[in-house]
Amino acid sequence: MQTISPAFKSVIQPNLTAKNARYSQINGKRVSVRCGYRSESFSFPNGVGSSRADWQSSCAILASKVVSAENSSSITGGLADQVAVVNGHSNGSVDLSLVPSKSQHNGKPGLIQPLTITDLSPAPSHGSTLRVAYQGVPGAYSEAAAGKAYPNSEAIPCDQFDVAFQAVELWIADRAVLPVENSLGGSIHRNYDLLLRHRLHIVGEVQIPVHHCLLALPGVRTDCITRVISHPQALAQTEGSLNKLTPKAAIEAFHDTAAAAEYIAANNLHDTAAVASARAAELYGLQILADGIQDDAGNVTRFLMLARDPIIPRTDRPFKTSIVFAAQEHKGTSVLFKVLSAFAFRNISLTKIESRPHQNCPVRVVGDENVGTSKHFEYTFYVDFEASMAEARAQNALAEVQEYTSFLRVLGSYPMDMTPWSTLPSEDV
């Protein structure tokens, strides 16, 4: 019997211990599960090969031991047997047991909870509904972006951006839709760093207008609000409106807009309001005190669609290409001028330039016997340009860029989002 490869073994380290109940869909029924992981080694009947087919098969038969959120008793009948078979493979080395969930929210079945870094579930069967990971909880703007990018897909909420990347890499999800920049708040640096750290490919983009609402429990008046909570960017984008609507309320940052609405509903807070979407109000039983409270109507967030495999670039529609590179050693940022010239000479328009600290060498020290030493910061550069990698001019431009860089990576060549902007709520677009 062959043992698991080192690359795959790093995925299932002994420190994986799930603490939170999660929800899973089994034969159309919602069940609450708690995942527990042991540190024993796993091996597969056919071993783990280097081909994509072997990797997919091995990932598919990896499953976690699932125990009840209420007790450790297993349910009888075919439910456990169905869960123990993933993509047609019998999971003999791992025992699975599930119990129905009793969790409710306002008398309704509980919403799907975000995946955490400790969650690992079997991959979906081939031919099943496309599964799309996003960061946040149901009602978040990222969920609306996932629905626009992949209609009729199954949205998988994740509690962190990194978890969404890993969900696709581990075949838990088929795609991920994550924000990279906002027209008012600027770039989301965390996701730029994760694009370089992970090996996913950009296969598309989608732009979502941000339509903020002020939400509170039913019956609560605006003059009764003493506190407003939301994501820091949402609070900044509605500062003017909040000063008029709730001038005496304290403003507090929360990690997510929809999670702020969920927090108010779960704790029955009659003195607190949240800045979130209209869908969040619907999901968590809140009323909309004020609609469209964003200070700027041109508030749009750009999301990237990520997949394990790239798409084939084409020339029959507008395409955009995203790259990341670092300057050659000791060349510094002077290389940037030469890189930009490579695109300018070929009439290729750039739509984005972003610099981030070089992870492996953030500072370069230059010594001089006469004047001492100087310290220079080193950067990696992210560039988006309007051209397809199927075009000769794009290929020639990157060939020239490669001469000036220590590394160059194409993150993706993908269709541009050409849908017109609208100030309507994102769920109505």
Short mmCIF file of all heavy atoms in Angstrom, two decimals, residues 114-115 132-146 155-165 167 175-179 188 190-191 194 231 254-259 303-304:
data_model
loop_
_atom_site.label_atom_id
_atom_site.label_comp_id
_atom_site.label_asym_id
_atom_site.label_seq_id
_atom_site.Cartn_x
_atom_site.Cartn_y
_atom_site.Cartn_z
N PRO A 114 -20.54 29.70 8.35
CA PRO A 114 -19.32 29.78 7.52
C PRO A 114 -18.35 28.66 7.83
O PRO A 114 -18.23 28.20 8.96
CB PRO A 114 -18.72 31.15 7.92
CG PRO A 114 -19.83 31.90 8.55
CD PRO A 114 -20.72 30.88 9.19
N LEU A 115 -17.66 28.20 6.79
CA LEU A 115 -16.57 27.27 6.98
C LEU A 115 -15.45 27.94 7.75
O LEU A 115 -15.21 29.13 7.59
CB LEU A 115 -16.01 26.80 5.62
CG LEU A 115 -16.87 25.85 4.79
CD1 LEU A 115 -16.23 25.66 3.43
CD2 LEU A 115 -17.04 24.52 5.47
N VAL A 132 -19.78 27.35 -4.82
CA VAL A 132 -19.00 28.59 -4.89
C VAL A 132 -18.74 29.09 -3.47
O VAL A 132 -19.68 29.36 -2.71
CB VAL A 132 -19.74 29.66 -5.71
CG1 VAL A 132 -18.89 30.93 -5.81
CG2 VAL A 132 -20.09 29.13 -7.10
N ALA A 133 -17.47 29.25 -3.12
CA ALA A 133 -17.09 29.73 -1.80
C ALA A 133 -17.00 31.25 -1.81
O ALA A 133 -16.56 31.86 -2.79
CB ALA A 133 -15.74 29.12 -1.39
N TYR A 134 -17.42 31.86 -0.70
CA TYR A 134 -17.28 33.30 -0.53
C TYR A 134 -17.02 33.58 0.94
O TYR A 134 -17.30 32.75 1.81
CB TYR A 134 -18.54 34.04 -0.99
CG TYR A 134 -19.77 33.80 -0.12
CD1 TYR A 134 -20.08 34.66 0.94
CD2 TYR A 134 -20.61 32.71 -0.34
CE1 TYR A 134 -21.18 34.45 1.74
CE2 TYR A 134 -21.71 32.49 0.46
CZ TYR A 134 -22.00 33.36 1.50
OH TYR A 134 -23.09 33.13 2.30
N GLN A 135 -16.47 34.76 1.23
CA GLN A 135 -16.18 35.12 2.62
C GLN A 135 -17.37 35.87 3.22
O GLN A 135 -17.89 36.81 2.64
CB GLN A 135 -14.92 36.00 2.69
CG GLN A 135 -14.43 36.28 4.11
CD GLN A 135 -15.13 37.45 4.76
OE1 GLN A 135 -15.51 38.40 4.09
NE2 GLN A 135 -15.30 37.39 6.08
N GLY A 136 -17.78 35.44 4.41
CA GLY A 136 -18.88 36.10 5.09
C GLY A 136 -19.96 35.11 5.48
O GLY A 136 -19.76 33.89 5.46
N VAL A 137 -21.11 35.64 5.84
CA VAL A 137 -22.27 34.84 6.20
C VAL A 137 -23.38 35.15 5.21
O VAL A 137 -23.30 36.13 4.46
CB VAL A 137 -22.74 35.12 7.65
CG1 VAL A 137 -21.64 34.78 8.65
CG2 VAL A 137 -23.17 36.58 7.81
N PRO A 138 -24.44 34.33 5.15
CA PRO A 138 -25.54 34.63 4.23
C PRO A 138 -26.06 36.05 4.42
O PRO A 138 -26.27 36.51 5.54
CB PRO A 138 -26.59 33.58 4.61
CG PRO A 138 -25.79 32.42 5.10
CD PRO A 138 -24.61 33.02 5.82
N GLY A 139 -26.26 36.74 3.31
CA GLY A 139 -26.67 38.14 3.34
C GLY A 139 -25.54 39.10 3.08
O GLY A 139 -25.77 40.30 2.91
N ALA A 140 -24.30 38.59 3.01
CA ALA A 140 -23.15 39.44 2.73
C ALA A 140 -23.15 39.85 1.25
O ALA A 140 -23.73 39.16 0.40
CB ALA A 140 -21.85 38.72 3.08
N TYR A 141 -22.48 40.95 0.94
CA TYR A 141 -22.38 41.39 -0.45
C TYR A 141 -21.62 40.37 -1.29
O TYR A 141 -21.86 40.23 -2.49
CB TYR A 141 -21.71 42.76 -0.53
CG TYR A 141 -22.52 43.85 0.12
CD1 TYR A 141 -22.16 44.38 1.35
CD2 TYR A 141 -23.66 44.35 -0.50
CE1 TYR A 141 -22.91 45.38 1.95
CE2 TYR A 141 -24.42 45.35 0.08
CZ TYR A 141 -24.04 45.86 1.32
OH TYR A 141 -24.79 46.85 1.92
N SER A 142 -20.70 39.64 -0.66
CA SER A 142 -19.96 38.61 -1.40
C SER A 142 -20.89 37.49 -1.85
O SER A 142 -20.67 36.87 -2.90
CB SER A 142 -18.85 38.04 -0.52
OG SER A 142 -17.84 39.00 -0.28
N GLU A 143 -21.94 37.22 -1.08
CA GLU A 143 -22.91 36.21 -1.50
C GLU A 143 -23.64 36.66 -2.75
O GLU A 143 -23.89 35.87 -3.67
CB GLU A 143 -23.90 35.92 -0.38
CG GLU A 143 -24.89 34.81 -0.72
CD GLU A 143 -26.05 34.72 0.27
OE1 GLU A 143 -26.51 35.78 0.73
OE2 GLU A 143 -26.49 33.60 0.56
N ALA A 144 -23.99 37.95 -2.81
CA ALA A 144 -24.64 38.49 -4.00
C ALA A 144 -23.72 38.42 -5.21
O ALA A 144 -24.14 38.12 -6.33
CB ALA A 144 -25.08 39.94 -3.75
N ALA A 145 -22.42 38.68 -4.99
CA ALA A 145 -21.44 38.58 -6.08
C ALA A 145 -21.33 37.14 -6.57
O ALA A 145 -21.24 36.89 -7.78
CB ALA A 145 -20.09 39.09 -5.60
N ALA A 146 -21.34 36.17 -5.64
CA ALA A 146 -21.27 34.77 -6.03
C ALA A 146 -22.49 34.37 -6.85
O ALA A 146 -22.39 33.63 -7.83
CB ALA A 146 -21.14 33.89 -4.79
N ALA A 155 -23.97 28.35 -2.76
CA ALA A 155 -23.03 29.26 -2.11
C ALA A 155 -22.53 28.65 -0.80
O ALA A 155 -23.33 28.15 -0.01
CB ALA A 155 -23.68 30.61 -1.86
N ILE A 156 -21.22 28.69 -0.60
CA ILE A 156 -20.60 28.15 0.61
C ILE A 156 -19.94 29.29 1.38
O ILE A 156 -18.91 29.82 0.95
CB ILE A 156 -19.54 27.08 0.26
CG1 ILE A 156 -20.17 25.95 -0.56
CG2 ILE A 156 -18.90 26.53 1.52
CD1 ILE A 156 -19.18 24.89 -1.00
N PRO A 157 -20.52 29.72 2.51
CA PRO A 157 -19.92 30.81 3.27
C PRO A 157 -18.67 30.34 4.01
O PRO A 157 -18.61 29.23 4.53
CB PRO A 157 -21.03 31.20 4.26
CG PRO A 157 -21.85 29.96 4.41
CD PRO A 157 -21.77 29.23 3.11
N CYS A 158 -17.66 31.20 4.05
CA CYS A 158 -16.39 30.92 4.74
C CYS A 158 -16.09 32.08 5.67
O CYS A 158 -16.36 33.23 5.34
CB CYS A 158 -15.24 30.73 3.75
SG CYS A 158 -15.52 29.42 2.54
N ASP A 159 -15.51 31.78 6.83
CA ASP A 159 -15.30 32.85 7.80
C ASP A 159 -14.06 33.68 7.53
O ASP A 159 -13.90 34.75 8.10
CB ASP A 159 -15.27 32.27 9.22
CG ASP A 159 -14.04 31.41 9.48
OD1 ASP A 159 -13.41 30.97 8.49
OD2 ASP A 159 -13.70 31.17 10.66
N GLN A 160 -13.17 33.22 6.64
CA GLN A 160 -11.96 33.96 6.32
C GLN A 160 -11.70 33.85 4.82
O GLN A 160 -12.11 32.89 4.16
CB GLN A 160 -10.75 33.43 7.09
CG GLN A 160 -10.87 33.47 8.59
CD GLN A 160 -9.69 32.81 9.27
OE1 GLN A 160 -8.55 32.94 8.82
NE2 GLN A 160 -9.94 32.09 10.34
N PHE A 161 -10.97 34.83 4.28
CA PHE A 161 -10.58 34.77 2.87
C PHE A 161 -9.72 33.53 2.60
O PHE A 161 -9.89 32.86 1.58
CB PHE A 161 -9.82 36.03 2.48
CG PHE A 161 -10.66 37.28 2.47
CD1 PHE A 161 -10.27 38.40 3.18
CD2 PHE A 161 -11.84 37.34 1.74
CE1 PHE A 161 -11.03 39.57 3.16
CE2 PHE A 161 -12.62 38.50 1.72
CZ PHE A 161 -12.21 39.60 2.44
N ASP A 162 -8.80 33.25 3.50
CA ASP A 162 -7.89 32.12 3.30
C ASP A 162 -8.65 30.81 3.22
O ASP A 162 -8.28 29.90 2.48
CB ASP A 162 -6.86 32.09 4.43
CG ASP A 162 -5.68 31.18 4.11
OD1 ASP A 162 -5.41 30.96 2.91
OD2 ASP A 162 -5.04 30.68 5.05
N VAL A 163 -9.73 30.69 4.00
CA VAL A 163 -10.53 29.46 4.00
C VAL A 163 -11.19 29.27 2.64
O VAL A 163 -11.30 28.15 2.14
CB VAL A 163 -11.57 29.50 5.12
CG1 VAL A 163 -12.50 28.30 5.06
CG2 VAL A 163 -10.88 29.55 6.48
N ALA A 164 -11.63 30.36 2.01
CA ALA A 164 -12.25 30.27 0.70
C ALA A 164 -11.25 29.75 -0.34
O ALA A 164 -11.59 28.93 -1.20
CB ALA A 164 -12.81 31.62 0.27
N PHE A 165 -10.01 30.24 -0.29
CA PHE A 165 -8.97 29.73 -1.18
C PHE A 165 -8.77 28.22 -0.96
O PHE A 165 -8.72 27.44 -1.91
CB PHE A 165 -7.64 30.46 -0.93
CG PHE A 165 -7.50 31.76 -1.66
CD1 PHE A 165 -7.99 32.93 -1.12
CD2 PHE A 165 -6.87 31.82 -2.89
CE1 PHE A 165 -7.85 34.15 -1.78
CE2 PHE A 165 -6.73 33.02 -3.57
CZ PHE A 165 -7.22 34.19 -3.02
N ALA A 167 -10.78 26.07 0.37
CA ALA A 167 -11.96 25.28 0.03
C ALA A 167 -11.92 24.83 -1.43
O ALA A 167 -12.30 23.71 -1.76
CB ALA A 167 -13.22 26.09 0.30
N ARG A 175 -15.47 26.80 -7.11
CA ARG A 175 -15.05 28.16 -7.43
C ARG A 175 -15.03 28.98 -6.14
O ARG A 175 -15.61 28.61 -5.13
CB ARG A 175 -16.01 28.83 -8.42
CG ARG A 175 -16.18 28.11 -9.75
CD ARG A 175 -14.97 28.26 -10.65
NE ARG A 175 -15.25 27.73 -11.97
CZ ARG A 175 -15.11 26.47 -12.33
NH1 ARG A 175 -14.69 25.57 -11.43
NH2 ARG A 175 -15.38 26.07 -13.56
N ALA A 176 -14.36 30.12 -6.22
CA ALA A 176 -14.40 31.10 -5.13
C ALA A 176 -14.61 32.47 -5.76
O ALA A 176 -14.08 32.76 -6.84
CB ALA A 176 -13.11 31.08 -4.31
N VAL A 177 -15.39 33.31 -5.10
CA VAL A 177 -15.63 34.68 -5.54
C VAL A 177 -15.25 35.60 -4.39
O VAL A 177 -15.89 35.58 -3.33
CB VAL A 177 -17.10 34.90 -5.95
CG1 VAL A 177 -17.35 36.36 -6.30
CG2 VAL A 177 -17.47 34.01 -7.12
N LEU A 178 -14.18 36.38 -4.58
CA LEU A 178 -13.61 37.17 -3.50
C LEU A 178 -13.35 38.61 -3.95
O LEU A 178 -12.94 38.84 -5.09
CB LEU A 178 -12.30 36.55 -3.00
CG LEU A 178 -12.43 35.13 -2.42
CD1 LEU A 178 -11.06 34.54 -2.17
CD2 LEU A 178 -13.23 35.16 -1.13
N PRO A 179 -13.55 39.60 -3.07
CA PRO A 179 -13.34 41.00 -3.44
C PRO A 179 -11.86 41.35 -3.49
O PRO A 179 -11.06 40.84 -2.69
CB PRO A 179 -14.04 41.76 -2.31
CG PRO A 179 -13.95 40.85 -1.13
CD PRO A 179 -14.04 39.46 -1.67
N ILE A 188 -8.13 45.53 -1.51
CA ILE A 188 -8.20 44.63 -0.35
C ILE A 188 -6.89 43.84 -0.37
O ILE A 188 -6.74 42.83 -1.06
CB ILE A 188 -9.43 43.72 -0.45
CG1 ILE A 188 -10.68 44.61 -0.41
CG2 ILE A 188 -9.46 42.70 0.69
CD1 ILE A 188 -11.91 43.99 -0.95
N ARG A 190 -5.26 41.92 1.60
CA ARG A 190 -5.19 40.52 2.04
C ARG A 190 -5.37 39.56 0.87
O ARG A 190 -4.63 38.58 0.73
CB ARG A 190 -6.26 40.27 3.10
CG ARG A 190 -6.39 38.82 3.56
CD ARG A 190 -5.11 38.32 4.20
NE ARG A 190 -5.25 36.98 4.73
CZ ARG A 190 -4.25 36.21 5.11
NH1 ARG A 190 -3.01 36.68 5.03
NH2 ARG A 190 -4.46 35.01 5.59
N ASN A 191 -6.32 39.85 0.00
CA ASN A 191 -6.57 38.93 -1.11
C ASN A 191 -5.49 39.00 -2.17
O ASN A 191 -5.23 38.01 -2.87
CB ASN A 191 -7.95 39.22 -1.71
CG ASN A 191 -9.06 38.64 -0.85
OD1 ASN A 191 -8.84 37.72 -0.07
ND2 ASN A 191 -10.25 39.20 -0.97
N LEU A 194 -2.92 36.67 -0.87
CA LEU A 194 -3.35 35.28 -0.99
C LEU A 194 -3.30 34.79 -2.43
O LEU A 194 -3.07 33.60 -2.68
CB LEU A 194 -4.76 35.12 -0.43
CG LEU A 194 -4.89 35.29 1.09
CD1 LEU A 194 -6.36 35.28 1.50
CD2 LEU A 194 -4.12 34.20 1.82
N HIS A 231 -19.13 46.61 9.28
CA HIS A 231 -17.75 46.54 8.84
C HIS A 231 -17.17 47.96 8.74
O HIS A 231 -17.89 48.90 8.39
CB HIS A 231 -17.67 45.85 7.47
CG HIS A 231 -16.29 45.53 7.02
ND1 HIS A 231 -15.49 46.45 6.38
CD2 HIS A 231 -15.55 44.40 7.12
CE1 HIS A 231 -14.33 45.90 6.10
NE2 HIS A 231 -14.33 44.66 6.53
N PHE A 254 -17.43 46.10 13.22
CA PHE A 254 -17.75 44.68 13.29
C PHE A 254 -17.03 44.01 12.12
O PHE A 254 -16.69 44.66 11.14
CB PHE A 254 -19.27 44.47 13.20
CG PHE A 254 -19.78 43.29 13.98
CD1 PHE A 254 -19.94 43.36 15.35
CD2 PHE A 254 -20.09 42.10 13.34
CE1 PHE A 254 -20.41 42.28 16.08
CE2 PHE A 254 -20.56 41.01 14.05
CZ PHE A 254 -20.72 41.10 15.42
N HIS A 255 -16.81 42.71 12.21
CA HIS A 255 -15.99 42.05 11.19
C HIS A 255 -16.71 41.84 9.86
O HIS A 255 -16.07 41.57 8.84
CB HIS A 255 -15.48 40.70 11.71
CG HIS A 255 -16.57 39.69 11.99
ND1 HIS A 255 -17.26 39.66 13.18
CD2 HIS A 255 -17.07 38.70 11.22
CE1 HIS A 255 -18.14 38.69 13.15
NE2 HIS A 255 -18.06 38.10 11.97
N ASP A 256 -18.04 41.97 9.84
CA ASP A 256 -18.77 41.70 8.60
C ASP A 256 -20.12 42.41 8.66
O ASP A 256 -20.72 42.52 9.74
CB ASP A 256 -18.96 40.19 8.41
CG ASP A 256 -19.61 39.85 7.09
OD1 ASP A 256 -18.92 39.86 6.06
OD2 ASP A 256 -20.82 39.58 7.09
N THR A 257 -20.62 42.90 7.53
CA THR A 257 -21.89 43.62 7.52
C THR A 257 -23.05 42.69 7.87
O THR A 257 -23.85 43.00 8.76
CB THR A 257 -22.13 44.25 6.14
OG1 THR A 257 -22.05 43.24 5.12
CG2 THR A 257 -21.10 45.33 5.85
N ALA A 258 -23.17 41.57 7.16
CA ALA A 258 -24.27 40.65 7.42
C ALA A 258 -24.15 40.02 8.81
O ALA A 258 -25.17 39.76 9.47
CB ALA A 258 -24.31 39.56 6.35
N ALA A 259 -22.93 39.77 9.26
CA ALA A 259 -22.74 39.22 10.60
C ALA A 259 -23.20 40.20 11.68
O ALA A 259 -23.68 39.79 12.74
CB ALA A 259 -21.27 38.86 10.82
N PHE A 303 -15.03 41.92 -7.73
CA PHE A 303 -14.74 40.58 -7.22
C PHE A 303 -14.05 39.76 -8.31
O PHE A 303 -14.33 39.94 -9.50
CB PHE A 303 -16.03 39.86 -6.81
CG PHE A 303 -16.74 40.47 -5.63
CD1 PHE A 303 -17.53 41.61 -5.79
CD2 PHE A 303 -16.64 39.92 -4.37
CE1 PHE A 303 -18.20 42.17 -4.72
CE2 PHE A 303 -17.30 40.48 -3.28
CZ PHE A 303 -18.07 41.60 -3.46
N LEU A 304 -13.17 38.87 -7.89
CA LEU A 304 -12.52 37.93 -8.80
C LEU A 304 -13.13 36.55 -8.65
O LEU A 304 -13.47 36.12 -7.54
CB LEU A 304 -11.02 37.86 -8.53
CG LEU A 304 -10.20 39.13 -8.78
CD1 LEU A 304 -8.74 38.88 -8.47
CD2 LEU A 304 -10.38 39.63 -10.21
#
